[in-house]
Amino acid sequence: MIHLSGIRKRFGENEVLKGVDLSVRKGEVICILGPSGSGKSTLLRCAAFLEEPDAGKVSIGEYVIDAAAPLTAEKKSTIRAMRQHTGFVFQLFNLFPHKTALENVMEGPITVQKMPKDKAKRLAVEMLGKVGLGDKQDVYPSRLSGGQQRRVAIARALAMQPVVMLYDEPTSALDPELVWEVLTVMKDLAKEGMTMVVVTHEMEFAREVADRVIFLDGGVIVEEGPSEQIFKNPREERTRRFLYRVEHHLGPKEA
């Protein structure tokens, strides 16, 4: 379903990704863990070609893009098509403040997929119901809680009817009582068989929902495996130190 091969990305002198390989099967849930600055978000953005890799190949479903290939009209078309089949939930979810929840969710199908407005409205109503916000259709983002806004962002991504969902720290900056709202929606999607890659700091979610856990540090995959194995018996010392630090709420110098 998702294949990343030799993904490299540099910002100036800083090589953020150093040849990452990752495959995700259809229906699989992958959680990516790692310290700040390890390249997690960059990897996710490269997977959707929201950030163009310097080298490597990305394939999602039937779409294959070689970063080294010239940026031809055909390549641009493939990138657009792949993005349309990839749902992406950002840390900053960027809802349109002048549009209601319903209008925010309708926007993509109408403007990108050229869906008729009445069909897009029916779809948006369905997706808002799916994330538990059927009663918030006519509410503007400023009147929604952080958790509700994040769920609207998930509904907006789902309205594009993606084959995969990519989440970049979907519960960041939320109060603890609102984290549950978002994670519950994601758990339900996982149960329905949605292919998902999640960059997260929510260890319990990763432990409970992930089929596999990826530990990324210094732009490379240090360790990967079933969630139970990673959390109970990690093979790599760097992974053990990271999990110990997170579990005991220690800063980097205390680990």
Side-chain angles (χ1 to χ4, degrees), residues 88-115:
F88 201 107
V89 179
F90 300 87
Q91 290 186 46
L92 300 175
F93 29 92
N94 300 324
L95 298 178
F96 294 112
H98 61 289
K99 293 181 179 290
T100 64
L102 184 68
E103 291 167 339
N104 266 281
V105 178
M106 291 172 60
E107 183 71 17
I110 291 173
T111 60
V112 178
Q113 298 179 340
K114 309 304 180 186
M115 186 180 291

Side-chain angles (χ1 to χ4, degrees), residues 9 13-14 32 48 83 88 94 105 113 129 148 150-151 171-172 174 193 198 204 221 235 246:
K9 183 64 183 178
E13 296 299 313
N14 183 24
I32 302 178
R83 286 176 181 164
F88 201 107
N94 300 324
V105 178
Q113 298 179 340
Q148 289 170 336
R150 200 67 57 98
R151 284 188 282 154
T171 59
S172 66
L174 291 181
V198 186
E204 286 305 313
I221 293 177
R235 297 185 300 271
V246 171

Side-chain angles (χ1 to χ4, degrees), residues 76-88:
K76 289 180 180 178
S77 177
T78 302
I79 291 173
R80 283 195 299 271
M82 189 178 74
R83 286 176 181 164
Q84 288 185 30
H85 290 83
T86 305
F88 201 107

